[in-house]
Amino acid sequence: MAAGGISGPVPPKAAIPSRWQLHPEPGHSRHTGHGASIGVAAPARSGSQHAAAERRAALRAAAAGQPSVAISTGWHGAAPPLPVAAAVGRERGTGRGKDEDRTDRRPFHMDIATPSHPAGDTTPAMCTPQPAAWRRVAVVTRTRNRPLLLRRAARSVSRQTFKDFVWVVVNDGGDEETARSIVEGSQLDRNSVLFLSLAQSRGMEAASNAGVAACRSDFVVIHDDDDSWAPNFLEKTVTFLSSQQGRRYGGVITHSIHVLEDIRDDEVIERRRRPFQTAVRDVQLAQMIRGNFFPPISFLFRRTLWDEIGGFNETLPVLGDWFFNLEFLLKADIGVLPEPLAFYHHRDQVPVTNVYANSVSAAGHQHDELAAVVRNAFLRRHMDKAAVALSLILSHIDDMRPGEVTAAASDPVRRPASTPNAAGDDDRADLDWIIGSINRSLARRSLKSFVRSLRVRPLEPDAGWNEALSALQKLKAPIPVPDHFDEPAYLAGNPDVAAAVQKGQLHSGYVHFLLFGRFEGRRRPGRHVSPFAAAQDNACPAPDTANVLKPVFDTPAMLRAAHRVAGFERVLHIAHHEWHGIRQATAYCPGHKLLIPAEGTLEEADKAGIAEEIQALGITHVVFQGYSENADQLLLALKSRFGSDLRCHAVTHVTTAQFEHYFEMVMQARLLIRLRMGSLQGLASVKPDFGAVFENYWPSLIVNFAPDLPSQRRAQPPELRSVYAPLDPGWRKNMYTNVLGALAAGNVEQVKTANFPNGLESLVNLDRLRLVGYLRGRDLFEEMARSSLVLLATLAECQPMTQLESLAVGTPAMTGPLSIREFDDDPLIRLCTTPHLDNPALLARDVERLVAARHADPGAMAEMISCHLARRHALAAQRYGDFLAL
């Protein structure tokens, strides 16, 4: 991505058929003293185009007064020059050049500046423009002073298995020599590269237009300098658009992987990956009017559409790709290849003034400000078209949610619909519940329902309301009523619905609410929520705190899979929103739950609200699961309020390997101080023998609960022998060894990962690898249940929650040695433990052994899992009871 955004830069008076910033001249060439001029044919303007040109007269006049742009071509020194970036006499509709101008065109002019040369260089001062060779695809990269990322882009382009392309690099006013040396050092054939250098930065869209205009091709794709591709991106997208099916489309997008990264000491540090736009199955104008939902790196389109549209809108500093996509959809459809072949990179922690920042962060205010400008400009231009008017209506209807009408009336400056907010929690929970219920119903379909279910395909975790409700209506399958919906209250308040349910016309009041009640304005009754949480849900946060996490008690997600053990009714576990593993360990414990933020500040009002809710619930014991500055401040506030009437304890979930993070040692020291001061009545760990190293820890081990999911446990293994490795790419999680070990196992047909093992594709065959991304909740459980084995051979662990979640659905999980003496004699743990954490070949043997055991005798495996979980849960309840002195 070029500096400044997801779209990119172009020279004034460039040889491009753009309606946005071109300067028509009389039918003769004009010399400026800066170099040669080339007459380039442009499409004839219609009446509406002439009107648009008049409206931009001031802009063109201003641009005409700017200095010429230096477009340097070829290499310096003895190397033969690259082809000059000039598209002479391009014929509309083919992208191929002709020698003669057509009579229905007027010429535009591109000034080719004299490139600078080192001393003694005898290269002629003026390059003679030559027509660029025609290629199947033009890959355009905009860049400006980002050598680290440009090198990665060069590797991405050079590794493409499809070779009939030209890579056009547009240096948008940055250091020319640095950019040139990187392009020259790429592994591409010299005849497959064009290099343009603009003397001054013209912006992202202008650079895109310059790059496209400089070459001739059938297809075009914008490859920003910070994004990347899978090696077969071009091969698959070109094949699609060239196929019988693809000929109906003007372009095609692929699914993407969103890569979050940092820049440290001239090195790119990847933080995480997740699937992006995986729910997209088609591209509709109604969706696009609401907002752009795919990045340029994933979009290959026909060159003729760029000609017809007139190029990218150069008047927009950001969001030019969105405007282009809107115009594109008025002229052609966009197909979808549901494969993650593009990598969309973001750096959200890079300072906005840094050249490596993304436009979404560096120019975030411009994105927000210009979103309405882009949408309004497009609608004003095309509102007379019936398709646009209908799309606008549909997009407005789809955006509406229960309560939005009144909210809009009372708050004219509302946040975008996509922004998370407390009022939308139930709406999101309902959508998640529908998706999970439909996918479970499809997985368990009987022969009787098989034909009907053929009309419905499994839903992606991020599917929208339209897709979910459509599938619900087609499937006609009953879905269970969730804990967070009060079915009796809904039926009592709606007698007509109750009568329909009694007659068998509806499965439940919940189904009625989903299909009809939401749109009829009927109230959605929820289960009991604590007064403090309800107050938070109904609060309207100030704009600058809209995304701040707030304390919340007993959410459905934290109670749904919890164990119920007598004596824990007055116990409150406190965990953090952001710390997923510890949060899940807390969710499965018996007792009440409170989530607080780890980042930011816990306000005094928050602490007072928490204390009031503790008193209302009759809490006598508090357990801090993990510790932070906010947890420390809350502990002091609670002890000040309740004194000895409230017993406070803490459980740590850290290993000493994590002491590389200084924060962890600071928190350990703080806990020991609070224990000595008497603010804490106990301190324990889930890491075996932690107390043998640090004084004053409770001597016994806290044992984690697995989720309470007895109805979801499966005895029969899946037909496809697959291994699921839901691991992060960091060293501690050992992802690469796990993936290699699973791939080397002879009886494994598929390996599924949460993150792509970047770079491994150049070492081993990854045909059996499937990227499923980060999953949570029901989606995670379902993926585990569909697997023969969950592989977690990590280098440093306490009691991994992914192991316990996998066992809860009946799938064995292999880990490294956890050294939990309480389970040394457990046959399941012995079977599922591998010592081979840094040897993929030996790890593969252990994987083969466990997969074979799972499929050879599934009944015995299910019995071992059940016995272990029963033993574990009894021990976990006993240990917590002893630790808390219940």
Side-chain angles (χ1 to χ4, degrees):
M1 233 173 286
I6 44 183
S7 309
V10 117
K13 301 188 275 292
I16 54 175
S18 173
R19 297 183 301 172
W20 310 120
Q21 194 172 334
L22 288 179
H23 318 295
E25 299 289 345
H28 63 275
S29 297
R30 178 171 63 95
H31 284 275
T32 64
H34 295 283
S37 63
I38 306 173
V40 179
R45 284 197 171 100
S46 64
S48 61
Q49 289 174 317
H50 279 300
E54 291 174 2
R55 288 194 296 270
R56 288 183 293 277
L59 174 64
R60 291 197 299 270
Q66 295 174 349
S68 297
V69 177
I71 303 182
S72 302
T73 60
W75 308 113
H76 288 171
L82 291 172
V84 171
V88 181
R90 181 180 304 106
E91 182 179 4
R92 179 193 294 272
T94 66
R96 292 174 171 82
K98 281 188 176 290
D99 294 332
E100 69 280 354
D101 286 339
R102 290 170 52 142
T103 57
D104 61 345
R105 302 180 181 183
R106 292 183 296 163
F108 291 84
H109 298 278
M110 174 188 289
D111 291 335
I112 305 295
T114 304
S116 58
H117 299 291
D121 190 348
T122 59
T123 304
M126 219 142 78
C127 300
T128 304
Q130 301 293 331
W134 173 85
R135 293 298 178 97
R136 193 85 165 116
V137 179
V139 179
V140 178
T141 297
R142 303 86 56 98
T143 188
R144 183 187 179 195
N145 294 333
R146 305 209 290 189
L148 189 63
L149 302 181
L150 183 59
R151 289 189 187 94
R152 181 174 66 189
R155 291 193 299 271
S156 169
V157 175
S158 64
R159 290 173 180 173
Q160 290 301 295
T161 55
F162 180 89
K163 299 299 183 183
D164 189 8
F165 66 84
V166 58
W167 185 32
V168 186
V169 180
V170 184
N171 175 41
D172 185 31
D175 184 325
E176 178 182 339
E177 290 307 314
T178 300
R180 180 188 294 276
S181 66
I182 293 172
V183 176
E184 185 176 17
S186 69
Q187 299 176 3
L188 291 168
D189 180 78
R190 187 175 303 277
N191 294 323
S192 297
V193 179
L194 289 178
F195 181 82
L196 284 71
S197 189
L198 312 187
Q200 296 181 0
S201 175
R202 299 303 185 196
M204 294 184 295
E205 313 316 323
S208 295
N209 286 335
V212 179
C215 59
R216 298 178 293 175
S217 63
D218 280 341
F219 304 113
V220 175
V221 59
I222 305 298
H223 187 308
D224 280 321
D225 64 354
D226 65 341
D227 291 332
S228 59
W229 282 329
N232 56 347
F233 174 87
L234 286 181
E235 180 182 351
K236 292 210 169 188
T237 52
V238 171
T239 299
F240 176 84
L241 288 181
S242 303
S243 68
Q244 189 66 34
Q245 174 191 2
R247 288 175 186 172
R248 73 184 67 169
Y249 296 105
V252 61
I253 64 169
T254 72
H255 287 176
S256 303
I257 300 296
H258 181 270
V259 182
L260 203 58
E261 60 192 20
D262 295 330
I263 304 291
R264 301 176 193 163
D265 300 324
D266 289 329
E267 184 180 358
V268 179
I269 307 296
E270 184 174 314
R271 288 160 52 198
R272 72 173 187 184
R273 294 186 176 202
R274 64 176 178 84
F276 184 65
Q277 71 188 60
T278 54
V280 177
R281 290 294 181 267
D282 50 41
V283 181
Q284 300 178 22
L285 183 59
Q287 296 172 311
M288 190 59 67
I289 287 178
R290 294 200 301 273
N292 197 20
F293 53 88
F294 59 82
I297 188 67
S298 69
F299 184 28
L300 178 82
F301 55 89
R302 300 187 190 277
R303 171 66 168 266
T304 54
L305 272 300
W306 180 83
D307 286 325
E308 291 181 37
I309 293 169
F312 294 92
N313 188 336
E314 299 175 14
T315 65
L316 295 172
V318 292
L319 301 179
D321 56 327
W322 180 23
F323 196 93
F324 180 82
N325 295 342
L326 286 167
E327 295 281 349
F328 192 100
L329 286 170
L330 285 183
K331 300 180 181 298
D333 292 317
I334 298 175
V336 179
L337 273 177
E339 298 182 56
L341 303 176
F343 297 90
Y344 183 41
H345 298 254
H346 264 188
R347 292 158 302 285
D348 61 346
Q349 295 187 3
V350 173
V352 297
T353 55
N354 192 299
V355 71
Y356 286 109
N358 294 84
S359 75
V360 198
S361 52
H365 66 287
Q366 288 184 303
H367 277 258
D368 296 339
E369 176 185 342
L370 291 177
V373 173
V374 168
R375 189 181 292 110
N376 292 341
F378 174 76
L379 292 174
R380 279 193 294 268
R381 180 183 300 275
H382 300 292
M383 198 60 190
D384 58 327
K385 293 183 173 66
V388 174
L390 179 60
S391 295
L392 178 63
I393 294 170
L394 291 175
S395 67
H396 179 70
I397 291 174
D398 192 55
D399 270 346
M400 295 303 285
R401 297 287 186 269
E404 283 196 2
V405 177
T406 54
S410 61
D411 183 9
V413 187
R414 298 178 62 234
R415 287 173 289 157
S418 60
T419 303
N421 58 80
D425 287 347
D426 284 338
D427 204 47
R428 181 68 241 182
D430 286 335
L431 179 56
D432 289 342
W433 191 261
I434 297 173
I435 293 170
S437 299
I438 288 173
N439 289 344
R440 279 196 300 274
S441 179
L442 290 174
R444 301 168 183 172
R445 57 194 174 190
S446 63
L447 181 62
K448 181 179 178 181
S449 64
F450 181 77
V451 175
R452 184 173 62 211
S453 65
L454 286 177
R455 297 181 297 165
V456 183
R457 59 176 173 239
L459 301 176
E460 296 286 344
D462 51 355
W465 269 105
N466 282 350
E467 190 177 359
L469 292 181
S470 174
L472 182 62
Q473 289 174 313
K474 290 178 182 177
L475 195 58
K476 294 183 172 61
I479 65 172
V481 178
D483 293 339
H484 53 82
F485 183 85
D486 196 333
E487 176 81 2
Y490 189 75
L491 295 178
N494 300 278
D496 57 327
V497 179
V501 172
Q502 189 173 10
K503 294 175 183 178
Q505 297 171 340
L506 287 168
H507 293 298
S508 65
Y510 183 59
V511 170
H512 175 273
F513 173 76
L514 295 174
L515 295 177
F516 310 107
R518 296 173 63 249
F519 306 101
E520 296 170 358
R522 304 202 191 205
R523 189 180 68 85
R524 183 199 186 285
R527 293 288 186 184
H528 169 71
V529 180
S530 69
F532 176 64
Q536 294 298 326
D537 284 344
N538 295 327
C540 181
D544 59 341
T545 61
N547 294 320
V548 173
L549 295 170
K550 304 295 286 184
V552 58
F553 276 86
D554 290 341
T555 64
M558 294 297 288
L559 297 179
R560 191 174 296 125
H563 289 260
R564 288 159 179 78
V565 180
F568 283 80
E569 297 83 359
R570 297 180 182 275
V571 174
L572 173 67
H573 299 271
I574 301 178
H576 296 81
H577 285 283
E578 303 94 326
W579 299 347
H580 179 72
I582 302 176
R583 190 183 71 207
Q584 294 310 107
T586 305
Y588 308 142
C589 290
H592 293 279
K593 315 293 166 54
L594 167 65
L595 291 176
I596 63 172
E599 304 293 335
T601 303
L602 201 60
E603 303 293 341
E604 291 301 320
D606 295 331
K607 299 173 192 174
I610 291 171
E612 292 173 8
E613 184 63 14
I614 285 176
Q615 187 169 11
L617 292 173
I619 299 298
T620 58
H621 293 74
V622 167
V623 183
F624 287 91
Q625 302 279 0
Y627 210 63
S628 67
E629 290 288 353
N630 280 342
D632 190 58
Q633 294 302 311
L634 179 59
L635 169 67
L636 298 179
L638 293 179
K639 296 304 288 187
S640 174
R641 169 76 177 267
F642 296 103
S644 59
D645 292 337
L646 185 68
R647 295 181 59 83
C648 295
H649 302 72
V651 174
T652 65
H653 297 251
V654 67
T655 73
T656 51
Q658 292 170 280
F659 282 0
E660 64 171 342
H661 304 296
Y662 185 66
F663 167 83
E664 298 291 358
M665 287 191 286
V666 170
M667 289 299 104
Q668 288 297 314
R670 188 78 55 83
L671 284 167
L672 292 170
I673 290 172
R674 299 302 179 217
L675 188 65
R676 288 194 291 269
M677 291 174 56
S679 301
L680 282 177
Q681 280 66 60
L683 179 59
S685 174
V686 299
K687 180 67 177 175
D689 300 316
F690 208 73
V693 179
F694 301 102
E695 295 182 358
N696 299 322
Y697 264 78
W698 191 59
S700 298
L701 175 72
I702 290 292
V703 177
N704 281 339
F705 289 88
D708 188 14
L709 303 170
S711 62
Q712 293 196 19
R713 204 171 303 159
R714 295 179 180 177
Q716 291 301 319
E719 292 184 9
L720 182 70
R721 299 189 178 211
S722 62
V723 171
Y724 179 30
L727 300 169
D728 290 331
W731 70 268
R732 193 165 61 92
K733 295 300 183 181
N734 202 24
M735 180 185 73
Y736 285 87
T737 303
N738 280 259
V739 171
L740 287 169
L743 289 171
N747 58 354
V748 174
E749 300 172 80
Q750 186 181 74
V751 179
K752 300 176 287 189
T753 64
N755 289 279
F756 186 78
N758 197 27
L760 210 56
E761 70 277 5
S762 61
L763 302 177
V764 296
N765 189 330
L766 298 184
D767 287 347
R768 287 183 292 144
L769 187 73
R770 178 186 166 215
L771 183 67
V772 299
Y774 281 97
L775 300 176
R776 293 185 299 172
R778 293 184 303 277
D779 299 316
L780 177 64
F781 295 143
E782 286 294 327
E783 193 61 62
M784 288 176 165
R786 289 192 292 266
S787 305
S788 304
L789 169 67
V790 172
L791 187 54
L792 306 164
T794 58
L795 295 172
E797 284 290 359
C798 296
Q799 299 175 49
M801 291 314 302
T802 40
Q803 175 201 30
L804 304 185
E805 289 164 337
S806 179
L807 295 178
V809 298
T811 300
M814 177 172 284
T815 71
L818 300 179
S819 304
I820 302 176
R821 286 190 296 274
E822 289 81 352
F823 299 129
D824 280 347
D825 61 343
D826 191 296
L828 177 71
I829 299 303
R830 289 203 304 268
L831 181 65
C832 295
T833 300
T834 175
H836 307 303
L837 303 183
D838 60 352
N839 189 322
L842 296 179
L843 178 60
R845 296 180 189 176
D846 291 338
V847 170
E848 289 174 350
R849 171 177 50 81
L850 190 49
V851 169
R854 171 86 194 279
H855 286 264
D857 195 346
M861 180 65 69
E863 180 65 22
M864 278 195 293
I865 291 175
S866 294
C867 290
H868 171 78
L869 290 180
R871 181 182 178 185
R872 169 180 285 274
H873 295 155
L875 182 59
Q878 177 191 333
R879 290 291 171 84
Y880 264 109
D882 292 346
F883 174 54
L884 300 178
L886 295 179

